[in-house]
Amino acid sequence: MPESTRLTPVAVMILATLREADMHTYELVRLLRERKDDRLVPLQKGTIYHTVARLERDGLLAEAGVDREGNRPERTTYTLLDAGRRAVEEWVRTELPQIERSTDFRVALSEAHNLERDDVVALLDRRRALLVASAHEHRTGLDGAAHRGVPEQFMVEVQRQAALLDAELAWQDALRARLADGSLAWGPDEIPEHFTKERVSKETTP
Amino acid sequence: MPESTRLTPVAVMILATLREADMHTYELVRLLRERKDDRLVPLQKGTIYHTVARLERDGLLAEAGVDREGNRPERTTYTLLDAGRRAVEEWVRTELPQIERSTDFRVALSEAHNLERDDVVALLDRRRALLVASAHEHRTGLDGAAHRGVPEQFMVEVQRQAALLDAELAWQDALRARLADGSLAWGPDEIPEHFTKERVSKETTP
DNA sequence: AGGCGTATAGTCCATGTGGACTAGTCGAGA
DNA sequence: TCTCGACTAGTCCACATGGACTATACGCCT
């Protein structure tokens, strides 16, 4: 019943962040903004509070107690459930091979390190097929339009898309190669441990 | 009072289409889908009906009478008002120089032919500055991360963005050049007239 | 002639999102 | 010491979107 409703990119970011440590909602907001994750998706407070509530309702995360610091309003700390952990992985697996909805893909790429190297390579291969097909479709569309005498000014956006698809393909092939030959460190096992500790503590205890 | 609320991409497409001819909502749906404009933005019926209602409320378009063909349910035909015409132009002027929110930009680019050549060139120049700045920011961000020992696997998405920014810059410079030296026909005056007539009639009388 | 599928035309509700608003607390300066 | 502004933490409402649902009419096959 949980993974029936599709996750939003914001939801994925929240779950992925909770993977690192339990925290309360306001801290999520701060942390995500500090890390500039709003460069991918606009992170409004309202949205984040709503999303956390939904995720709790759907059993992907749960309250882990209420604490109050000093005299401030008490705040509810949340923890990631197993279902949540799995949901992130599944979402990445779904979105990583996609080519449309590019912000979903960017988020998926940002969270791809939650998956194993081989997994990612396979997903990128599927994506590659779509990229090639789409580039081809754009080219034939442009040719057809040219033949039918469609003025070029109406095709400018399509031309751009074709150009960017080429660039994307080149970039992705380079990434895939580095993943396949092992020259790019990947996954939790290959994170230098000094960095693992640093990650959360640095921002949560300023 | 009208242009206070920002237009959505769907709204812009609707207004731009009404520029060509008056039509009723269902026809808008069909036409936009036939032209594959849903490649830019998902075009749901619900969304379009709602959007048209909003646009009417805001005085950007208006009823142009109700007709019934044969015995079919009667349908309301809408016409574009002057405020609507201006709103499209303004929207394009706002979104064309932007670099984030890339689907807005793609729509703006698709509708850029509603603006004059020089206008577009100037807007693209403003956009170019942002592209250059963003590319630079990404590069320094990557350098900084490398120095601080951030594992590369966390920076993959940023690397991609940097690569795509380069490609975008190259594409845009090429377009700008063709606009500036006149080698790309632009604007309503430079559409071959056989095509102008063809455009609406072909799809509305099948 | 009757029935079935598809096209036409549109409504409605659940979900998601963004911005405005509330309200208490801490720190710095007049 | 009082006040003002900024930070903390969160609620609430209006708007946008998507999908399901309704209902009639037309064309085609049998």
Side-chain angles (χ1 to χ4, degrees):
Chain A
M1 162 189 336
E3 30 262 271
S4 59
T5 352
R6 291 223 349 73
L7 293 176
T8 66
V10 179
V12 174
M13 293 193 215
I14 290 173
L15 294 174
T17 307
L18 277 180
R19 242 180 148 134
E20 299 171 38
D22 296 356
M23 56 190 97
H24 55 274
T25 313
Y26 191 80
E27 201 174 349
L28 273 170
V29 177
R30 243 191 339 106
L31 197 51
L32 286 171
R33 287 202 181 139
E34 245 174 52
R35 291 188 182 166
K36 297 268 177 90
D37 280 8
D38 55 347
R39 142 191 74 91
L40 293 177
V41 157
L43 292 169
Q44 237 55 38
K45 251 155 32 108
T47 305
I48 294 183
Y49 276 91
H50 279 144
T51 305
V52 167
R54 247 181 294 141
L55 293 172
E56 189 184 7
R57 186 202 57 192
D58 295 351
L60 301 189
L61 48 78
E63 273 190 35
V66 175
D67 77 286
R68 64 208 87 79
E69 181 176 315
N71 227 343
R72 301 261 183 69
E74 55 176 35
R75 47 205 190 168
T76 313
T77 299
Y78 292 95
T79 191
L80 188 60
L81 297 178
D82 253 31
R85 211 165 309 245
R86 268 181 286 115
V88 174
E89 285 172 28
E90 241 171 83
W91 190 88
V92 174
R93 230 169 245 125
T94 310
E95 295 305 328
L96 198 58
Q98 228 83 72
I99 59 170
E100 316 288 344
R101 288 174 312 179
S102 77
T103 80
D104 281 27
F105 171 73
R106 289 176 66 186
V107 174
L109 185 59
S110 303
E111 303 299 347
H113 55 82
N114 289 296
L115 265 49
E116 307 237 342
R117 180 189 297 269
D118 294 352
D119 227 347
V120 174
V121 171
L123 294 166
L124 289 181
D125 284 344
R126 277 170 51 199
R127 184 168 193 263
R128 188 177 202 284
L130 294 182
L131 282 173
V132 170
S134 180
H136 185 255
E137 233 177 290
H138 278 75
R139 292 265 141 63
T140 55
L142 286 169
D143 288 0
H147 262 114
R148 294 199 315 280
V150 177
E152 214 183 334
Q153 54 170 304
F154 294 133
M155 305 307 290
V156 170
E157 197 274 330
V158 181
Q159 287 175 350
R160 169 177 179 271
Q161 207 54 23
L164 290 193
L165 279 169
D166 290 347
E168 173 105 46
L169 198 56
W171 161 80
Q172 189 184 291
D173 282 348
L175 173 65
R176 196 226 119 106
R178 294 193 54 206
L179 276 169
D181 71 16
S183 67
L184 176 61
W186 195 257
D189 310 340
E190 299 187 35
I191 301 175
E193 73 217 64
H194 70 86
F195 192 78
T196 325
K197 280 169 203 149
E198 200 183 296
R199 258 202 128 186
V200 177
S201 60
K202 208 176 162 188
E203 289 119 335
T204 52
T205 59
Chain B
M1 157 187 342
E3 28 263 86
S4 59
T5 350
R6 289 222 350 73
L7 293 176
T8 65
V10 179
V12 174
M13 293 193 215
I14 290 174
L15 294 175
T17 307
L18 277 180
R19 241 180 148 135
E20 299 171 39
D22 295 355
M23 56 190 97
H24 56 273
T25 314
Y26 192 80
E27 202 174 348
L28 272 170
V29 176
R30 241 189 342 104
L31 197 51
L32 287 171
R33 287 203 181 140
E34 245 175 53
R35 291 188 182 165
K36 296 269 176 85
D37 280 8
D38 55 347
R39 139 191 76 90
L40 293 178
V41 158
L43 291 170
Q44 235 57 38
K45 248 154 36 104
T47 305
I48 295 183
Y49 276 91
H50 279 145
T51 306
V52 167
R54 248 181 294 141
L55 292 173
E56 189 184 7
R57 187 202 55 191
D58 294 350
L60 301 189
L61 48 78
E63 273 192 35
V66 175
D67 77 288
R68 64 209 89 78
E69 183 177 312
N71 228 340
R72 299 261 185 69
E74 54 176 36
R75 46 203 190 170
T76 315
T77 299
Y78 292 94
T79 191
L80 189 58
L81 297 179
D82 254 30
R85 210 165 310 242
R86 269 182 284 114
V88 174
E89 285 172 29
E90 240 172 83
W91 189 89
V92 174
R93 231 170 244 123
T94 311
E95 295 306 326
L96 197 58
Q98 228 82 73
I99 59 170
E100 316 288 342
R101 288 175 310 181
S102 77
T103 80
D104 281 27
F105 171 73
R106 289 176 64 187
V107 174
L109 185 58
S110 302
E111 304 298 348
H113 56 82
N114 290 296
L115 265 50
E116 306 238 343
R117 182 190 296 270
D118 294 352
D119 226 347
V120 174
V121 170
L123 293 166
L124 289 181
D125 284 343
R126 278 172 50 200
R127 184 167 193 263
R128 187 176 203 284
L130 293 183
L131 281 173
V132 170
S134 179
H136 185 255
E137 233 178 288
H138 278 75
R139 292 264 142 64
T140 55
L142 285 168
D143 288 0
H147 263 113
R148 295 199 316 280
V150 177
E152 213 182 334
Q153 54 171 301
F154 293 134
M155 306 306 291
V156 170
E157 196 274 329
V158 181
Q159 286 175 351
R160 168 176 180 272
Q161 207 55 21
L164 290 194
L165 280 169
D166 289 348
E168 173 104 47
L169 198 55
W171 163 80
Q172 189 183 293
D173 282 348
L175 173 66
R176 197 226 119 105
R178 295 193 55 205
L179 276 169
D181 71 16
S183 68
L184 177 62
W186 196 258
D189 310 341
E190 300 187 35
I191 301 173
E193 74 217 62
H194 70 86
F195 192 77
T196 325
K197 282 169 201 148
E198 198 183 298
R199 256 201 129 189
V200 177
S201 62
K202 208 177 161 188
E203 288 117 334
T204 52
T205 60

